[in-house]
Amino acid sequence: MRIFKNPNESAIRAAYIAGFAAFTTVAAMPLASLAEPQHGIAMYGEPALPEGFSSLPYANPDAPQGGSIRLGESGSFDSLKPWVLKGSPAWPVFTMPGVVAETLMLRSMDEPFTLYGLLAESVETDPERTWVEFTLRPEATFSDGSPVTIEDVMWSYETLGTQGHPRYRGAWSKVEKMEQTGDNKIRFTFNTEDRELALLMGMRPILQKAQWEGKDFTESGLEVPIGSGPYVIENVDAGRSLTFRKNPDWWGKDLPINQGLHNFDSVIYDYYGDSSAMFEAFKAGDIDVWRELDPTIWQNDYDFPRAVSGEVTQSEIPNERPSGIMGLVMNTRNPLFEDWRVRQAMIEAFNWNFINATLSGGQEERITSYFANSELAMTPGAPAEGRVLELLEPFADELPPGTIEGYTLPDGSDQPMDRRAMRSGMKLLQEAGWTVQNGALTNEDGTVFAFEILLNQSGSSMSSASEMRQIAEIFSEALRQYGIDVTITMLDSAQYVERTNNYDFDMSWYDRALSLSPGNEQLLYWGAAGVTEPGTRNWMGINSPAAEAMISEMLNADSRENFVSAVHALDRILTAGRYVIPAGYSPISRLAHDATLAFPETIPAYGDYPGFLPETWWREEAGE
């Protein structure tokens, strides 16, 4: 087994690791140096890489070129347009950054939030970041040979901002004016104080205007999108497979930022009905990489023939990003879960120690807050102090207990039933007006406490379907002690996406990866608009002025210290809100893969994150 550690190669790298804050965050100092065009832009301070750098630090510019890699996905797809809400999209089109549709700037996965020029050769902004201007590379072309123009850029931004997925609309609403300021220049002027916007404007996919003119962009479909990236979509077998082929005429192949990236001639994604079928395909050699989510299986069960013969290698990829939140989310749009006491009772019934021991031999670490495993996390059980307390105090009357005083999850028990926690939970249910009548938990109106746990039979990016099912079954068995009747429903991906997009569920499995640079995207996750607007990540239905105020503080903090304090305050609001029953996480990714596949020894700070696999990988035999 190969275990790769992040090398501490330079003082610059160490400084950034010590100062992590954002995929979308705040500036710690005025950026006067950005009063003229620059090769990159950082959320705070200066970009780590100087102008004229030769490659990204986590890419191997000498990687062999050629060959193919075959990857697996669970579920199905019926659309190649991940930029709109409708349909069940083929996510590789979206999650492989810049592979089909490139952006003006490319994010470095080795810095909290820094962008370097891709379609844009330079970026310029004022110290207050009230506007940002990009200069488009004149040599940039789409895969059909037509030039990428300012007109394409402007059309893409307006169309995504007004007709695209809700993830694009928040930032677009803060644009006062978009204008062409030169032959290859575009400027965005903002109507809101938000220092992150200068970076967000560099991260929208640029689509070809001519392809979509006269068509309803909001509709899903299988029309192959024309992009400017290194790959074109060569073959589509709807719902079953997707093949990306390297474009030999790719305009950007000689740019320094692309050296060592996109090394395969073809990238193939095969879709499987569930994770079990996909794992069997991996063992048989039909796909090349498998992400193992179960540490017990990782340690004990890799004794199938290809692993024993050495054809399969096990690699552990570390990361320095927050745990994010993963577990069972309660939909507060349902009156059953409106009361925080009921939600805490659900948490008390979730015996994590027993679940962890049963499923992983006790090897997983529990998620203690949304930003656990990072400096952005609140301290469990500790009271708010200093700047964090100042931020929370104006909202004290509306915050649930524990937000300011300190909140921590129940300890749990090694036994199947944590009787102390169950007694505590039953007391909270009684205080909330629920009592057991004829064996069923019932309120004074005669409503019986019964609900459905909705699960995706294809699993998720962080959890297998079987693991989610086992956790739900153990949990539902505990809830029967309360007199609660639980139904577990497994749906195919299309049905599951349809229902969760419209918040048509009581409780479901929820995972939300969070970055070192939380910013505008937090409104998509926790903003009040998501209570009614479909397609957001606010599955729990949070409607919290306090949470939105903390996000505003994050976006406009005038120092790194104030930014971190605002994130700590937000972490407290979300965690003590008791919206999700947290499960566990791993600070490493476990990747089993074909032994002829390789990746650089320098692992980016974000680890196995979009931008790492397959972008930085190569096949050793390809250069022979």
Side-chain angles (χ1 to χ4, degrees):
M1 180 188 299
R2 295 190 296 163
I3 301 178
F4 290 84
K5 302 298 183 183
N6 286 350
N8 189 11
E9 294 180 328
S10 68
I12 292 177
R13 172 71 188 275
Y16 269 86
I17 292 175
F20 271 171
F23 241 84
T24 49
T25 196
V26 295
M29 64 182 70
L31 299 185
S33 61
L34 285 182
E36 58 184 33
Q38 300 288 318
H39 71 294
I41 181 172
M43 193 60 230
Y44 57 89
E46 299 290 338
L49 301 178
E51 188 168 4
F53 67 88
S54 59
S55 66
L56 293 168
Y58 53 89
N60 174 13
D62 299 319
Q65 302 291 298
S68 65
I69 184 170
R70 187 177 289 269
L71 304 170
E73 289 280 324
S74 290
S76 183
F77 69 92
D78 60 17
S79 174
L80 297 179
K81 289 175 69 177
W83 312 292
V84 300
L85 183 59
K86 292 182 181 179
S88 181
W91 282 112
V93 179
F94 179 75
T95 57
M96 292 198 298
V99 165
V100 173
E102 292 178 308
T103 52
L104 295 175
M105 310 286 286
L106 181 69
R107 186 200 309 273
S108 169
M109 293 294 106
D110 204 38
E111 300 173 56
F113 194 16
T114 297
L115 306 179
Y116 297 98
L118 185 58
L119 282 172
E121 64 184 15
S122 67
V123 58
E124 181 179 359
T125 185
D126 62 323
E128 293 76 27
R129 294 189 175 177
T130 61
W131 57 267
V132 65
E133 184 171 280
F134 302 96
T135 300
L136 190 64
R137 296 184 192 271
E139 69 270 27
T141 60
F142 289 108
S143 59
D144 64 358
S146 63
V148 178
T149 67
I150 292 295
E151 186 177 8
D152 292 308
V153 176
M154 297 179 76
W155 178 87
S156 297
Y157 276 67
E158 183 173 8
T159 301
L160 292 172
T162 57
Q163 302 178 48
H165 193 281
R167 73 173 72 92
Y168 300 115
R169 296 176 190 170
W172 179 250
S173 69
K174 299 178 182 181
V175 175
E176 176 70 24
K177 181 170 57 175
M178 175 178 66
E179 58 185 326
Q180 183 171 354
T181 52
D183 290 343
N184 288 309
K185 292 180 180 291
I186 182 170
R187 176 179 289 207
F188 300 90
T189 303
F190 308 121
N191 59 26
T192 304
E193 290 186 9
D194 184 338
R195 298 185 62 84
E196 184 192 30
L197 291 173
L199 283 81
L200 292 184
M201 289 300 106
M203 296 174 58
R204 297 296 182 252
I206 306 304
L207 307 175
Q208 188 187 61
K209 177 183 178 182
Q211 179 179 16
W212 304 105
E213 279 192 306
K215 302 172 184 176
D216 186 350
F217 188 78
T218 65
E219 292 296 324
S220 64
L222 291 170
E223 180 176 354
V224 174
I226 297 173
S228 61
Y231 290 89
V232 296
I233 299 176
E234 180 181 50
N235 183 64
V236 180
D237 187 352
R240 300 180 63 182
S241 70
L242 191 64
T243 300
F244 298 86
R245 177 180 56 80
K246 188 79 168 284
N247 178 8
D249 300 319
W250 175 37
W251 74 273
K253 61 180 178 295
D254 295 325
L255 291 181
I257 198 169
N258 290 322
Q259 300 312 296
L261 302 181
H262 316 302
N263 301 309
F264 299 104
D265 283 341
S266 62
V267 180
I268 304 139
Y269 284 87
D270 291 327
Y271 282 72
Y272 295 85
D274 55 49
S275 57
S276 296
M278 189 160 65
F279 185 47
E280 291 302 315
F282 170 71
K283 290 195 295 184
D286 293 333
I287 58 177
D288 292 323
V289 183
W290 171 257
R291 285 185 175 88
E292 182 56 69
L293 302 175
D294 188 324
T296 302
I297 293 176
W298 181 256
Q299 290 184 356
N300 302 321
D301 294 349
Y302 275 70
D303 54 359
F304 50 89
R306 295 186 70 239
V308 172
S309 69
E311 295 174 80
V312 164
T313 296
Q314 292 174 265
S315 297
E316 296 184 353
I317 314 297
N319 69 75
E320 298 158 5
R321 62 182 186 264
S323 64
I325 191 67
M326 180 171 67
L328 290 165
V329 62
M330 292 168 273
N331 188 351
T332 62
R333 301 171 186 83
N334 182 337
L336 288 179
F337 298 118
E338 283 182 334
D339 194 314
W340 72 265
R341 293 169 296 188
V342 170
R343 301 196 297 272
Q344 180 64 32
M346 299 296 105
I347 292 172
E348 297 285 350
F350 190 86
N351 188 356
W352 166 248
N353 281 357
F354 177 75
I355 290 172
N356 190 25
T358 302
L359 270 63
S360 72
Q363 297 183 68
E364 292 290 290
E365 298 183 38
R366 190 168 199 188
I367 295 171
T368 55
S369 77
Y370 286 56
F371 292 92
N373 193 47
S374 77
E375 67 165 345
L376 301 179
M378 71 169 200
T379 302
E385 298 177 341
R387 177 61 178 162
V388 177
L389 180 60
E390 292 177 10
L391 291 171
L392 293 173
E393 279 183 326
F395 303 94
D397 292 344
E398 68 185 63
L399 295 172
T403 310
I404 293 177
E405 308 91 328
Y407 177 79
T408 189
L409 295 166
D411 292 333
S413 169
D414 294 334
Q415 301 302 312
M417 190 67 61
D418 185 351
R419 300 192 181 281
R420 182 205 60 77
M422 294 297 292
R423 287 193 297 270
S424 175
M426 194 67 232
K427 181 180 178 181
L428 287 167
L429 288 170
Q430 290 170 350
E431 291 175 0
W434 295 91
T435 57
V436 178
Q437 301 177 27
N438 299 319
L441 194 67
T442 309
N443 67 10
E444 60 183 11
D445 297 328
T447 300
V448 174
F449 203 122
F451 66 90
E452 175 190 47
I453 298 178
L454 189 69
L455 301 176
N456 189 339
Q457 68 183 24
S458 298
S460 74
S461 61
M462 293 189 258
S463 304
S464 68
S466 62
E467 178 187 29
M468 292 188 296
R469 177 88 193 206
Q470 289 179 74
I471 290 175
E473 288 175 346
I474 295 172
F475 178 55
S476 62
E477 185 63 32
L479 290 180
R480 289 190 179 92
Q481 303 300 311
Y482 284 154
I484 295 175
D485 183 30
V486 179
T487 300
I488 300 173
T489 301
M490 305 284 289
L491 293 180
D492 64 51
S493 292
Q495 292 176 303
Y496 181 80
V497 168
E498 175 68 21
R499 285 188 59 178
T500 53
N501 271 346
N502 291 286
Y503 316 121
D504 180 18
F505 65 90
D506 304 319
M507 185 180 287
S508 186
W509 191 262
Y510 183 81
D511 50 47
R512 181 70 259 160
L514 295 173
S515 77
L516 294 162
S517 59
N520 273 273
E521 83 288 344
Q522 300 295 296
L523 289 171
L524 184 70
Y525 304 163
W526 333 119
V531 175
T532 56
E533 182 180 346
T536 74
R537 294 297 295 183
N538 188 0
W539 288 14
M540 55 281 288
I542 297 175
N543 186 358
S544 170
E548 294 198 353
M550 296 312 112
I551 296 170
S552 179
E553 286 286 337
M554 290 157 51
L555 297 175
N556 294 293
D558 58 2
S559 70
R560 171 162 180 75
E561 291 75 19
N562 284 343
F563 167 73
V564 173
S565 294
V567 181
H568 285 174
L570 177 64
D571 199 22
R572 285 175 172 271
I573 292 167
L574 297 175
T575 305
R578 300 158 169 91
Y579 303 108
V580 178
I581 307 170
Y585 77 99
S586 175
I588 62 171
S589 297
R590 304 174 183 91
L591 299 185
H593 56 89
D594 188 286
T596 65
L597 291 174
F599 53 86
E601 291 190 6
T602 299
I603 304 300
Y606 280 96
D608 175 31
Y609 218 61
F612 177 69
L613 171 69
E615 287 84 346
T616 67
W617 290 48
W618 66 88
R619 194 174 290 279
E620 293 283 10
E621 63 191 20
E624 296 177 2

